[in-house]
Amino acid sequence: MGTRSIAAVAALTIFAFPAFAQQDTAAQNLARQVMQTEIVADHADHTRWQYRSHYQKPGEDALFYVIETDSGAIKKKIRTDGRPLTPAELATEDRKITDFVSSPSEQEKQRKSGREDDKRAEEMLRMMPDAFYWSVKSDSPEATTLAFVPNPNFTPPSMESRVFAAMSGEIVLDKAQHRLKLMHGTLTNDVTFGWGLFGRMKKGGTFSVERREVKPGVWLIVETHIHIDGKALLFKSISEQEDEVKSGFRLTPDAMTLQEAASELKSQPPDTLARR
């Protein structure tokens, strides 16, 4: 959810929450049920996917094609700033793929990073029911929208969670499967680091994550939008400004190896990958 640079500075976060809300126990229990459903489903899901990833951040606007395998994921940039890559740029992308496939240490680094991301995500899901005050904002036969605000009695257990727990926002739940469809939040106040001596995350920063059922019972993130600014560590700017939209999901064959995925990316014309 875009916690990389946030995590680097969140260790010194000190934030005070006003006690302006009360807990709706039924809404909290619903949030707890959905988070537990997500954790169980994630442990049971061993599918691998290939898809297009349109990634944007300041100074970068790129379209990638990604293939996940049991041994790791490979991606290839196929467009930049809305234009096709030049032959030289495509050659550079192919060299990156070759280097990754021939480097067990880089593959293990990727797997380790993935395990750490999965662990942090699970910790966040387990934390959410107690980190916030919950209420029902709207309800329909298909979905329920829950609003959340920081719980002033909750002590965040980790660096990332200190920033995350400072958010107010909403989650949209699929009622049939008790799955999380949408989550967005906003920093309702500046988040200070070391009582403000080392900096602050600016009020108004936002994040949004949308998930979609791409296969019966399998829900994946299809959009991520993070826009948070601040100053920290002797006035150096920190920024988490990124948008990613994923599309064209296709199941990766179970037996596909990392080498076969690399060959697929190298052999397919970029226009073909862009249209998949």
Side-chain angles (χ1 to χ4, degrees), residues 223-240:
E223 292 195 29
T224 305
H225 304 280
I226 303 170
H227 297 278
I228 300 175
D229 284 306
K231 296 278 189 179
L233 303 178
L234 301 178
F235 307 105
K236 291 183 179 179
S237 293
I238 57 174
S239 178
E240 194 68 27

Side-chain angles (χ1 to χ4, degrees), residues 19-92:
F20 59 88
Q22 293 182 339
Q23 185 70 273
D24 179 333
T25 303
Q28 182 188 33
N29 289 339
L30 180 56
R32 195 182 306 280
Q33 179 182 14
V34 169
M35 301 311 163
Q36 184 58 35
T37 299
E38 291 297 345
I39 292 170
V40 172
D42 183 65
H43 288 177
D45 179 24
H46 303 292
T47 56
R48 299 290 181 262
W49 297 87
Q50 44 189 286
Y51 53 88
R52 296 184 300 273
S53 168
H54 184 195
Y55 180 79
Q56 295 173 289
K57 69 177 184 179
E60 182 177 1
D61 184 335
L63 181 66
F64 295 90
Y65 198 85
V66 182
I67 299 180
E68 300 173 345
T69 74
D70 288 341
S71 300
I74 303 179
K75 67 178 182 180
K76 180 176 181 177
K77 185 187 297 184
I78 53 179
R79 289 186 182 275
T80 184
D81 296 325
R83 64 166 176 81
L85 270 64
T86 66
E89 290 170 331
L90 287 171
T92 298

Side-chain angles (χ1 to χ4, degrees), residues 51-54 212 221-223 244-249:
Y51 53 88
R52 296 184 300 273
S53 168
H54 184 195
R212 190 174 303 150
I221 294 175
V222 295
E223 292 195 29
E244 183 179 22
V245 177
K246 299 177 181 178
S247 60
F249 286 92

Side-chain angles (χ1 to χ4, degrees), residues 115-252:
R115 291 192 296 267
E116 292 173 349
D117 285 347
D118 289 344
K119 181 181 178 181
R120 283 195 293 268
E122 182 171 333
E123 289 172 351
M124 293 293 184
L125 290 174
R126 292 188 183 280
M127 177 193 82
M128 284 189 69
D130 298 311
F132 303 105
Y133 282 164
W134 296 90
S135 62
V136 177
K137 182 175 181 179
S138 65
D139 195 28
S140 73
E142 294 79 26
T144 299
T145 299
L146 299 181
F148 61 87
V149 296
N151 179 351
N153 301 312
F154 179 76
T155 301
S158 66
M159 295 185 298
E160 295 95 332
S161 64
R162 293 183 184 185
V163 175
F164 186 59
M167 295 276 182
S168 295
E170 300 174 356
I171 63 173
V172 180
L173 315 175
D174 176 82
K175 294 179 73 171
Q177 299 184 47
H178 292 98
R179 301 301 297 270
L180 183 62
K181 296 179 63 176
L182 177 68
M183 177 169 59
H184 64 82
T186 302
L187 276 171
T188 54
N189 291 281
D190 286 359
V191 179
T192 59
F193 304 90
W195 297 276
L197 297 175
F198 293 94
R200 67 184 64 246
M201 304 294 283
K202 292 182 180 179
K203 173 183 177 180
T206 64
F207 81 91
S208 177
V209 176
E210 181 180 347
R211 302 171 75 244
R212 190 174 303 150
E213 188 177 22
V214 297
K215 180 178 181 285
V218 178
W219 292 69
L220 299 178
I221 294 175
V222 295
E223 292 195 29
T224 305
H225 304 280
I226 303 170
H227 297 278
I228 300 175
D229 284 306
K231 296 278 189 179
L233 303 178
L234 301 178
F235 307 105
K236 291 183 179 179
S237 293
I238 57 174
S239 178
E240 194 68 27
Q241 303 286 333
E242 58 184 44
D243 298 271
E244 183 179 22
V245 177
K246 299 177 181 178
S247 60
F249 286 92
R250 304 171 67 203
L251 273 170
T252 300

Side-chain angles (χ1 to χ4, degrees), residues 85-126:
L85 270 64
T86 66
E89 290 170 331
L90 287 171
T92 298
E93 291 298 307
D94 286 344
R95 283 195 298 272
K96 291 178 182 178
I97 293 172
T98 298
D99 291 344
F100 181 79
V101 171
S102 61
S103 175
S105 63
E106 287 300 313
Q107 296 165 32
E108 177 54 30
K109 184 186 298 184
Q110 184 192 80
R111 289 191 291 269
K112 180 181 179 181
S113 177
R115 291 192 296 267
E116 292 173 349
D117 285 347
D118 289 344
K119 181 181 178 181
R120 283 195 293 268
E122 182 171 333
E123 289 172 351
M124 293 293 184
L125 290 174
R126 292 188 183 280

